[in-house]
Amino acid sequence: IISTFITQRPAYATSHILNKFALPGTLTLFLGIDPPSSGRIRLTSITIDSAWSGTYFLTVPIPLTAVPAPGYVFAGWSDPDLPQEPSVTIDPGGNYGVIARFTPAAGGIVINEINYNSAPDFDPEDWVEFQNSSAQPIDMSGWEFKDEDDAHVFTFPTASVLPAGGYLVLCGNQTLFTARFPGVTNYVGNMPFGLSGSGELLRLYDASGVLVDWLIYDDEPPWPPEPDGQGPTLELIDASADNALAENWAASIAPRPSSCSCYFSMDAR
């Protein structure tokens, strides 16, 4: 009896939901990853990392987020009508399938440190640091950095080179930044927009418009809250780790160049 109940229950539960909310019906959603093992897709309450299908309700929007595996970057969705961004919301009118495509990361460049809300007594304004974990220098001339607003764009100037194994800082205010960090020479600016103190989407595109790296940081657990105005920055623990995951970030702990008891880290060279 129990076995029969479990087998038949999903169809009854689906029918109850359709009736309760006056929904027109269901659809089958098909998802895939290309190439295999290059990433995963988050949707509603689950994450899939291979070919998958499931039942969803018509007229109920479905959020999808493509998450690249370490060493890969998001390259787009197979449906050309979708925004070619990692996070999208779909509302198909019937059975629907889409594939998240990933490509090997260009030179291993990652967003590895974020200063989104400085301490009041030590304020170089917002800045973002990029790390090149490859063995070759990478010319970032013409690359673009954006937050979640497509109108907020910084285009890297000519001769913006990220050395092999090195760092490049994009600062919001070069004057304030160099005054606080006179020893840092590999930087560009001025970034024409600020970073949200409550977290947001950050994106890095190469000169061809390919999304190289992205993440959505936050100022609440599981993200460390200390970078939100308390002195530390938000720092990636390991450049090879998936920087889209909160557990791979920490508040910086190295003492900053100040007599203040707050802490700060500046790895840029």
Side-chain angles (χ1 to χ4, degrees), residues 93-116:
N95 294 342
Y96 177 80
V98 68
I99 296 171
R101 292 173 174 157
F102 301 94
T103 188
I109 294 181
V110 296
I111 300 169
N112 84 298
E113 192 167 1
I114 306 166
N115 185 63
Y116 64 84

Side-chain angles (χ1 to χ4, degrees), residues 26 75 82-83 115 127 143 177 191:
T26 62
L82 286 179
N115 185 63
W127 53 264
W143 288 37
F177 182 84
M191 184 168 60

Side-chain angles (χ1 to χ4, degrees), residues 120-140:
D121 63 332
F122 190 89
D123 187 6
E125 291 201 357
D126 297 343
W127 53 264
V128 180
E129 185 180 77
F130 306 92
Q131 181 175 359
N132 176 10
S133 58
S134 76
Q136 300 294 328
I138 297 175
D139 186 356
M140 297 178 67

